[in-house]
Structure formats: structure tokens, C-alpha cells
Amino acid sequence: MTDDSSPWLIVGLGNPGPEYAGNRHNVGFMVADLLAERMGGRFKAHKARAQVVEGRMGPPGPGSRRVVIAKPMSFMNLSGGPTTALRDFYKVPVERIVAVHDELDIDFGQLRLKLGGGDNGHNGLKSITKAMGADYCRVRFGIGRPPGRMQVADFVLKDFSSTERKELAFEVDRAADAVETLIVDGLERAQGTYNS
């Protein structure tokens, strides 16, 4: 049974630094930035090697939820350290942790929400799962597969294509809506609406 006073922790996955800002691998940061903007919050440095913003999500009143939005500043493959430190600091039950990340096995413009599961070769998820188990929620943002013989590592560290960039703001907005729905209305409702 989850204690209702404990907040939700939304972890947008990405790599810190301006050179990575537009990369496919950084779409989790993009969604986190938008969610923070919607709450009117500003990211501040946290001792857990992350940028965080605290606020509330959902309708004003008893239906609103306490949330902490975080961007680990440790590089993608070490995301587990900051995520676990934030979980402990804010006393967040694992089922209230939501990782927002890029997903190769889903086409660009598609979302999938789920609880638990494998990491599918995603180094950020691998690090979080190793640190605290797999029973957290994921909002998977489709980026599609690399074209031709391009290596996955090169593909995820490239910026979205010019065609994708035309749609990107809309898709990031939709992913932010999906996170809010998950937190306010629950996973099943969010899956029913956003799992394309």
C-alpha cells in the first residue's frame, strides 16, 4: 500500500551538456523540461547529482499529486546512482518512479507506457534496474531504428532529423500529457489513451 504523502519521481533520461541537448537519447530531458515549465518550476542542482524541480500535478485541490521532476547529471549509463539517491531522499516507493526515455523498438511519434520489464539494451534503464530493480513505470518515446548500417550508439547520439524536428514539439507535448495522465489518473487510463 502506497503512502499518499510520498511524491512521484519523474526521471527524464538524457546526457548533460549542450552538445547532447538535441540528441534522440535526450528526449527524456526534453519531456522533463516541458513538465517543469508547465508547473512553473525551475530546475535546481540537488546533491544527488541531478537537477530537480518540485511541484504539483493535476487539478488543484485533493486530486493534485506531489511530484519531483529530475534530470540525472551523471550521463545516461550511470542514471541509476542519482535515481536511487533521489528515491531515498524523497522516500518515493518504486511504483511511483517514472522513467521517461527514448525507445528504438517503437517508431518515431509512438508512445508506450508500462510498469516493469526489461531494459531492451537501453543503458539508462539498465543502470536504474541494476540499482533498484525493474518495478518502476516507463514512458517509452519511440525514436525508431537507425537507417542502413548506422550503429545504434551513433544514431541515439545524433539530433532528430529535420523531418522529425517538425513533429518533435508536438510529440514531446504528447509525452508530457501521458506522464501527467499516468500520475493523476493511473497507468491503465494512460495506457488506454497513449499506447499507440
Side-chain angles (χ1 to χ4, degrees):
M1 185 64 198
T2 304
D3 168 14
D4 254 2
S5 68
S6 55
W8 285 77
L9 173 60
I10 301 160
V11 184
L13 296 183
N15 286 308
E19 68 274 32
Y20 298 106
N23 289 180
R24 291 183 176 92
H25 224 18
N26 268 43
V27 78
F29 274 17
M30 297 173 197
V31 175
D33 286 337
L34 179 59
L35 287 166
E37 192 183 303
R38 286 180 179 185
M39 286 193 328
R42 295 180 96 84
F43 281 99
K44 294 181 178 67
H46 190 280
K47 65 181 182 186
R49 284 182 312 158
Q51 297 273 328
V52 301
V53 61
E54 297 178 45
R56 299 193 81 83
M57 207 170 259
S64 80
R65 307 275 189 268
R66 261 181 76 210
V67 295
V68 178
I69 301 169
K71 298 190 293 185
M73 292 287 122
S74 58
F75 287 98
M76 182 66 89
N77 56 354
L78 299 170
S79 301
T83 303
T84 309
L86 290 167
R87 175 200 69 184
D88 295 347
F89 181 86
Y90 289 105
K91 300 180 173 43
V92 182
V94 72
E95 67 274 11
R96 283 198 177 190
I97 297 173
V98 182
V100 185
H101 64 92
D102 56 305
E103 177 62 64
L104 288 159
D105 282 344
I106 306 172
D107 290 339
F108 177 76
Q110 308 260 297
L111 294 172
R112 295 269 195 295
L113 287 76
K114 68 176 199 171
L115 174 64
D119 56 53
N120 220 11
H122 191 288
N123 289 332
L125 295 182
K126 202 173 280 181
S127 175
I128 293 172
T129 298
K130 189 175 174 200
M132 60 180 208
D135 296 332
Y136 53 93
C137 297
R138 297 95 191 277
V139 174
R140 304 157 73 204
F141 188 109
I143 60 167
R145 283 264 163 208
R149 295 219 170 102
M150 189 191 286
Q151 293 295 313
V152 164
D154 296 332
F155 178 69
V156 298
L157 292 176
K158 281 204 167 19
D159 287 0
F160 286 96
S161 70
S162 54
T163 314
E164 289 168 340
R165 279 200 296 271
K166 293 188 180 102
E167 302 287 319
L168 187 58
F170 171 78
E171 300 303 345
V172 168
D173 195 63
R174 201 164 148 264
D177 290 346
V179 173
E180 288 188 0
T181 304
L182 163 63
I183 286 171
V184 176
D185 299 322
L187 180 62
E188 274 183 38
R189 169 78 59 89
Q191 286 173 323
T193 308
Y194 294 100
N195 278 13
S196 33

